[in-house]
Amino acid sequence: MTTTSEIAAPETIKTVLLGVTGCIGAYKACEILRGLQKRGVRVKVVMTEHATHFVDPLTFRSLTHEKVAVDLFDDPTDPIHHISLADEADLFLIAPCTANVMAKLAAGIGDDLLTTTALAVTAPVVLAPAANVHMYENPITQRNMNALHDFGFKFVEAGEGYLACGYQGRGRMADPELIVDYVMEQLEGASTAKGQDLNGTPAVLGQDEDGALSASVRDLEGKKVMVTAGPTVEPIDPVRYISNHSSGKFGYAIAAAAAERGAEVTLVSGPVSLDAPAGVNVVRVTTACEMLEAAGKAFADADLAIFAAAVADVRPANPFNRKMKKGTDDAALAAIELVENPDILKTLATAKDQQFVVGFAAETDHVVENATKKLKRKNANLIVANQVGGGRAFGQNDNEIMFVEAGGASEPVSGTKAQLAQVLLDRVAPQL
Ligand code: PMT
């Protein structure tokens, strides 16, 4: 398989101003900070007074070796501290960003160092909200978020999960890793990813004509998108199973990107440890048979169906209902009868109507040849081919893919899975 170079490092050191506001997620800002530093970014920290109750400024000072700004008037050497902080930033990330701070930003209030800096900054501002589910879903908070979105603020939206307050629901700050990836994309500009389109012309990854990131393109508004992701898990007995190494990262990135572009997205997910992407309806399943049933429901009225899941090809015909014991049950374990699982993609695509169907091909060798066979055999419109094995694709944040269509295969395109998700949608959106 032809290889392309990795995403280029930024030519100059960029500065991210990391704003930390007062909520329990503040400790995760340390992880974000380290993640950005590992990617070669200089990080300066500004905190609200409330944030200092959760993490001592000394922690951030030790991690950055730079002064941590908290009070408007605490630096006698710099009488207009909010302006100098704002001017230094290539990007202002506020993570976690409380409902209160979003309300202040939406109203243009600057009553402390962090909010006055946000008013003064001309660089992109990225918010990673965190709040109790009721506070997050409160129409006032939602109105403020919409207003901020319209003002050009960018969001890495909160995910669902168990919240520190004991509630379960949306409001948990997005994973630090996702936030770091998003910030890097903003800093590097999607054009740093390498790739070519089918005709050999350089692909403009994730940017529209105006140079805006395609994450802000709403070209899937009114469209229904179904995505499968993750592995399936086929039980042998209550503790053993057949599965594979799919982490769900690629499928989740595609679902997130489609939702960002305005689609109504259903993500049928095998067991993975990822939070639901913002604005995506996640249907969690375990086995291939369950995935077929859930995917079938979402497929019926989908405009676009993307099958990124790594479905186990076989399952034990008769799973044991008690744990099989080594020594006493060896013969039964050795004689496990396997039956073929349904081919979800093939089953649904064979009966396709309005749906544009994207399948995947995970191949260790003869990638294009095998993907082309899958395109025909499974009746897909497009196959995303990726080479697997040797630590590639499965579980990774980056990937290299080719698009295989009736007319042939594209050049390889490499980038983060989030970037490649946008490239894939750039390719299929005009065909819907
Ligand atoms: O989840 P990640 O860690 O991010 O890794 C991403 C990935 C490697 C899982 C992804 O990029 C990928 O390649 N997904 C498809 C994996 C796979 O099972 O490929 P396949 O070549 O075996 O299957 C071909 C296609 O048929 C796939 O679209 C698959 O979803 C579908 N299929 C396969 C078998 C089956 N029983 N039902 C299916 O629907």
Side-chain angles (χ1 to χ4, degrees):
M1 185 183 189
T2 326
T3 56
T4 57
S5 27
E6 295 297 313
I7 290 170
E11 279 162 17
T12 51
I13 293 178
K14 303 275 188 187
T15 299
V16 166
L17 183 60
L18 174 60
V20 185
T21 70
C23 82
I24 182 65
Y27 78 93
K28 291 191 192 165
C30 302
E31 228 177 293
I32 296 170
L33 188 158
R34 295 300 273 171
L36 289 169
Q37 286 177 329
K38 280 186 197 152
R39 310 272 283 264
V41 173
R42 171 186 175 227
V43 184
K44 287 198 72 159
V45 176
V46 56
M47 304 174 75
T48 62
E49 202 274 328
H50 285 161
T52 65
H53 291 272
F54 292 93
V55 180
D56 195 294
L58 184 59
T59 307
F60 290 116
R61 188 172 172 175
S62 309
L63 292 171
T64 59
H65 303 277
E66 305 224 30
K67 276 187 216 155
V68 172
V70 179
D71 192 275
L72 259 173
F73 309 104
D74 66 358
D75 189 349
T77 63
D78 186 355
I80 39 176
H81 202 176
H82 57 299
I83 304 295
S84 51
L85 279 173
D87 287 349
E88 268 188 288
D90 291 296
L91 183 145
F92 189 12
L93 166 69
I94 308 183
C97 189
T98 59
N100 177 49
V101 168
M102 286 194 287
K104 286 203 234 174
L105 297 178
I109 293 172
D111 63 354
D112 60 11
L113 186 55
L114 187 146
T115 49
T116 43
T117 303
L119 275 176
V121 85
T122 54
V125 184
V126 175
L127 307 180
N132 157 276
V133 58
H134 299 313
M135 293 169 76
Y136 190 82
E137 287 175 356
N138 188 306
I140 303 172
T141 305
Q142 289 298 315
R143 182 201 60 193
N144 291 334
M145 288 173 69
N146 285 334
L148 289 167
H149 182 268
D150 292 345
F151 282 126
F153 286 69
K154 297 183 184 300
F155 283 86
V156 185
E157 283 191 33
E160 283 181 21
Y162 287 100
L163 306 175
C165 53
Y167 281 85
Q168 190 174 4
R170 188 170 299 284
R172 193 163 83 176
M173 185 174 76
D175 282 344
E177 202 182 331
L178 280 180
I179 296 172
V180 170
D181 280 349
Y182 185 78
V183 167
M184 292 311 297
E185 277 165 34
Q186 300 288 312
L187 282 178
E188 289 169 3
S191 59
T192 54
K194 307 277 189 251
Q196 293 198 317
D197 69 13
L198 261 179
N199 305 316
T201 46
V204 181
L205 306 185
Q207 290 199 316
D208 65 17
E209 284 169 5
D210 301 325
L213 285 174
S214 48
S216 60
V217 172
R218 306 278 296 174
D219 56 359
L220 294 180
E221 204 106 51
K223 301 290 180 199
K224 290 190 175 163
V225 176
M226 193 276 302
V227 182
T228 70
T232 66
V233 168
E234 314 295 336
I236 295 171
D237 71 11
V239 296
R240 300 179 179 86
Y241 56 82
I242 296 172
S243 191
N244 57 65
H245 295 298
S246 170
S247 63
K249 284 181 186 175
F250 207 174
Y252 274 59
I254 294 167
E260 269 179 55
R261 294 166 80 132
E264 185 183 324
V265 184
T266 300
L267 173 62
V268 181
S269 171
V272 296
S273 58
L274 299 174
D275 288 336
V280 170
N281 170 35
V282 181
V283 182
R284 296 194 190 269
V285 298
T286 304
T287 64
C289 293
E290 289 168 9
M291 187 173 272
L292 173 62
E293 195 186 336
K297 283 183 192 152
F299 185 81
D301 62 353
D303 300 289
L304 170 63
I306 301 176
F307 297 82
V311 183
D313 290 315
V314 293
R315 68 177 186 279
N318 303 298
F320 302 104
N321 56 15
R322 65 172 179 83
K323 181 183 171 191
M324 301 308 279
K325 295 238 179 327
K326 207 163 170 235
T328 45
D329 295 319
D330 289 352
L333 277 170
I336 290 172
E337 187 195 342
L338 299 177
V339 289
E340 209 173 311
N341 265 330
D343 188 319
I344 301 167
L345 164 59
K346 190 175 168 193
T347 308
L348 298 178
T350 302
K352 75 176 151 67
D353 180 13
Q354 79 286 354
Q355 302 89 346
F356 186 95
V357 172
V358 177
F360 272 63
E363 308 293 341
T364 53
D365 52 89
H366 299 94
V367 179
V368 174
E369 198 182 316
N370 289 329
T372 307
K373 284 183 190 157
K374 280 181 182 161
L375 179 77
K376 289 188 194 129
R377 197 172 68 238
K378 305 205 181 204
N379 202 33
N381 298 91
L382 167 69
I383 291 280
V384 176
N386 47 190
Q387 193 167 19
V388 295
R392 282 179 288 245
F394 281 99
Q396 303 300 315
N397 292 329
D398 297 336
N399 203 3
E400 181 178 283
I401 58 172
M402 282 185 285
F403 298 111
V404 177
E405 289 165 301
S410 74
E411 288 297 312
V413 185
S414 64
T416 64
K417 286 178 177 171
Q419 286 173 324
L420 295 176
Q422 298 288 357
V423 179
L424 168 63
L425 296 177
D426 286 347
R427 190 172 203 97
V428 300
Q431 305 187 57
L432 302 181

